[in-house]
Amino acid sequence: MRYCPACGTPLEARPHDGRPRPTCPACGFVYFADPKVAVAVLITDGGRVLLGRRGNEPGRGRWALPAGYVDRGEALEAAAAREAREELNVDVRVDRLVGLYSAAGDPVILAVYAATIVSGDPKAGDDLEAIGYFEVDRLPDLAFARDARIVREGASSVRTPTRRPSASW
Ligand SMILES: [Zn+2]
């Protein structure tokens, strides 16, 4: 934001609550940049996790958990289900929150949900070039370093296979 939304004066960086923030020298408006919220979907099958190869920057050509931004007014669980539909072409049941992930200097707060496919076979949808299941301890080249930690933490607590072969019964 470069101009004051109240009076149109160019904003200047001035210290406020301990850090420089865009401030209007005319009327005193202070712009507080909000974090962005994104959701990622952790779908496991036995010891494997479903990842997508990204078609866009950042991380184009590398693998990541299916993820996207939450719309204003959208419930996190609904956003997780929507991302699964858009990126994987499946309907999921959102099972539980795996965790919230944030880092100093990163504007994005990521909420990760474990989910189970209830209908459809995953196919690469919006923004993905391919999808695949990977062993948790043999992940491919990841777009985001934190995904490795998320998968480790998430998969170790989501040991229930989503679709175990049922040949024996
Ligand atoms: Zn102003």
Side-chain angles (χ1 to χ4, degrees):
M1 182 169 296
R2 299 180 57 193
Y3 296 93
C4 176
C7 75
T9 305
L11 300 175
E12 299 173 357
R14 293 189 181 177
H16 197 93
D17 290 348
R19 64 170 77 175
R21 299 179 193 275
T23 303
C24 177
C27 76
F29 170 86
V30 180
Y31 174 64
F32 291 88
D34 294 322
K36 294 205 62 141
V37 180
V39 288
V41 186
L42 184 75
I43 296 171
T44 55
D45 188 0
R48 300 182 307 160
V49 61
L50 185 55
L51 300 177
R53 195 171 70 212
R54 294 173 57 81
N56 297 312
E57 299 296 347
R60 182 173 187 163
R62 288 184 285 164
W63 295 83
L65 291 168
Y69 289 113
V70 178
D71 287 329
R72 184 184 287 247
E74 185 179 34
L76 291 171
E77 294 85 353
R82 177 178 54 76
E83 288 298 334
R85 210 154 42 237
E86 292 175 358
E87 302 212 350
L88 305 171
N89 290 294
V90 293
D91 290 322
V92 298
R93 180 187 71 229
V94 175
D95 296 319
R96 63 179 191 83
L97 180 67
V98 172
L100 293 170
Y101 295 83
S102 64
D106 186 340
V108 178
I109 297 168
L110 182 66
V112 181
Y113 284 88
T116 303
I117 295 173
V118 292
S119 83
D121 283 317
K123 288 188 295 288
D126 289 0
D127 308 331
L128 296 181
E129 295 174 338
I131 57 123
Y133 282 97
F134 295 89
E135 301 289 336
V136 168
D137 51 6
R138 294 175 61 185
L139 296 176
D141 190 18
L142 296 175
F144 309 110
R146 70 178 169 192
D147 278 9
R149 188 176 127 224
I150 294 168
V151 167
R152 246 189 345 265
E153 293 175 359
S156 67
S157 54
V158 187
R159 269 303 173 210
T160 315
T162 54
R163 286 184 297 175
R164 186 183 288 280
S166 54
S168 60
W169 38 284

